[in-house]
Amino acid sequence: MTSPRNALVGKVIAITGGARGIGLAIAEALTAQGARVSIGDIDLELAQREAKRIGAHAGRLDVRERESFAQFIAETEAALGSLYGLINNAGIMPMGYFLDEDPALADAQIDINFRGVIHGMQVALPKLLARQSGHIVNIASLAGRFALPGSAIYCGTKFAVVGMTESVAGEYRDSGVEFTCIMPSKVLTELTAGTDKAASIIPAVTPEQVADAVVASLIKPRLMVAVPDYLQVAHRAYTLIPSWLQLRGRRLIDDTRILNELDHEAHAGYEQRINLLKRKSKVSKVG
């Protein structure tokens, strides 16, 4: 019988958006567990550099394109062996008023945060079903359970990932394939730069804490995992509160801070990077 310590040794696990932030932390945690890891990222040069550092495989991946996903998984299996797990991690999070958001940026969020997860699951799942084993982990957010003013499209995509994960898990509950949705609170990465004051009411966690939750779920499967874990109970309690009291509480803690107190200068680097994805999205829509 395989012990928890050796449960992931030799398992082939692919990670999207794996060249930085949460994805890279997951890759490092999994290689430490003896897994054979493949990092997929739109920034191939960075992915290759980090993969070499931690002893992983790297490939270019644009999750918005199903063909790119299929090629990445095929290259992963050619290099490492049959796929056991897929971590759908890639995502972006612009912030601001709903009506001020560039439609192209909204499209980019939907394409990356939600459609990318669909692509990944539809590419990987048939392989896992054929072997009657494996695990798909979707990185969502507690913003997929608690709606936050100032990130409407982002919340919408994460609500969608949470719901889709639960639905697909129900469809294939007797297949031998496991499904997990990881829902972190505010993660201390480039994505949340400049939100120290704006999102001070939200518990902060590190990428390493999210990675630990992923590893734990792969070893001992759970469908829904909040990070930190106690927020899972907090959400259940929140849903029992009358809506008028929820609204009063939100006003009391001022849940609109992210709209009014975001440090745009500190967040500028991240905004510039995701704007490049927005422009690419415009090109792909035209083409």
Side-chain angles (χ1 to χ4, degrees):
M1 182 176 178
T2 304
S3 69
R5 176 178 292 182
N6 300 317
L8 300 179
V9 173
K11 297 288 178 66
V12 177
I13 302 176
I15 306 169
T16 73
R20 53 167 59 86
I22 295 172
L24 182 57
I26 294 170
E28 291 173 324
L30 289 174
T31 55
Q33 290 285 325
R36 307 185 75 186
V37 174
S38 180
I39 292 174
D41 203 281
I42 198 167
D43 188 340
L44 178 58
E45 183 178 348
L46 180 60
Q48 289 174 329
R49 185 163 65 246
E50 294 295 349
K52 183 177 181 180
R53 178 178 65 82
I54 67 174
H57 174 265
R60 186 185 182 280
L61 171 62
D62 187 338
V63 300
R64 296 169 292 185
E65 301 171 3
R66 188 184 300 270
E67 296 79 8
S68 177
F69 223 127
Q71 182 175 350
F72 168 63
I73 295 300
E75 290 174 354
T76 294
E77 293 198 312
L80 303 179
S82 296
L83 186 73
Y84 171 79
L86 172 65
I87 316 296
N88 282 308
N89 165 73
I92 61 172
M93 182 183 169
M95 287 175 271
Y97 282 96
F98 174 68
L99 291 179
D100 292 342
E101 189 158 290
D102 186 330
L105 192 53
D107 284 345
Q109 287 181 82
I110 294 167
D111 286 344
I112 295 169
N113 297 2
F114 183 44
R115 189 168 286 113
V117 178
I118 296 173
H119 290 163
M121 294 182 76
Q122 290 184 335
V123 169
L125 185 53
K127 297 175 181 293
L128 307 188
L129 292 173
R131 292 189 283 273
Q132 298 184 317
S133 69
H135 202 139
I136 292 178
V137 178
N138 295 330
I139 308 298
S141 168
L142 278 166
R145 286 284 178 89
F146 294 94
L148 297 174
S151 55
I153 303 297
Y154 176 81
C155 285
T157 63
K158 294 303 182 178
F159 267 81
V161 169
V162 171
M164 182 175 66
T165 305
E166 186 170 6
S167 180
V168 175
E171 291 181 26
Y172 297 101
R173 57 178 165 244
D174 299 318
S175 67
V177 178
E178 301 287 349
F179 299 86
T180 297
C181 186
I182 303 287
M183 300 173 291
S185 59
K186 173 185 170 182
V187 186
L188 298 174
T189 65
E190 181 189 23
L191 183 149
T192 60
T195 66
D196 291 349
K197 185 177 180 181
S200 59
I201 58 174
I202 302 172
V205 297
T206 66
E208 290 73 25
Q209 286 174 279
V210 180
D212 288 344
V214 170
V215 170
S217 72
L218 287 168
I219 294 173
K220 186 176 181 179
R222 291 170 57 193
L223 178 58
M224 296 290 166
V225 178
V227 186
D229 198 55
Y230 71 82
L231 288 178
Q232 187 84 342
V233 177
H235 174 261
R236 294 194 191 103
Y238 179 79
T239 59
L240 299 175
I241 300 172
S243 58
W244 65 268
L245 189 55
Q246 290 180 12
L247 180 58
R248 181 173 294 182
R250 283 175 172 267
R251 289 186 185 280
L252 183 64
I253 64 175
D254 187 11
D255 66 347
T256 63
R257 291 185 202 178
I258 201 166
L259 289 168
N260 304 316
E261 298 182 10
L262 177 66
D263 184 341
H264 289 280
E265 184 175 346
H267 200 63
Y270 180 73
E271 290 177 352
Q272 184 177 28
R273 187 158 65 81
I274 63 174
N275 275 329
L276 294 175
L277 295 171
K278 177 189 71 174
R279 286 196 291 273
K280 188 178 190 305
S281 182
K282 283 182 177 178
V283 171
S284 65
K285 293 291 181 186
V286 173

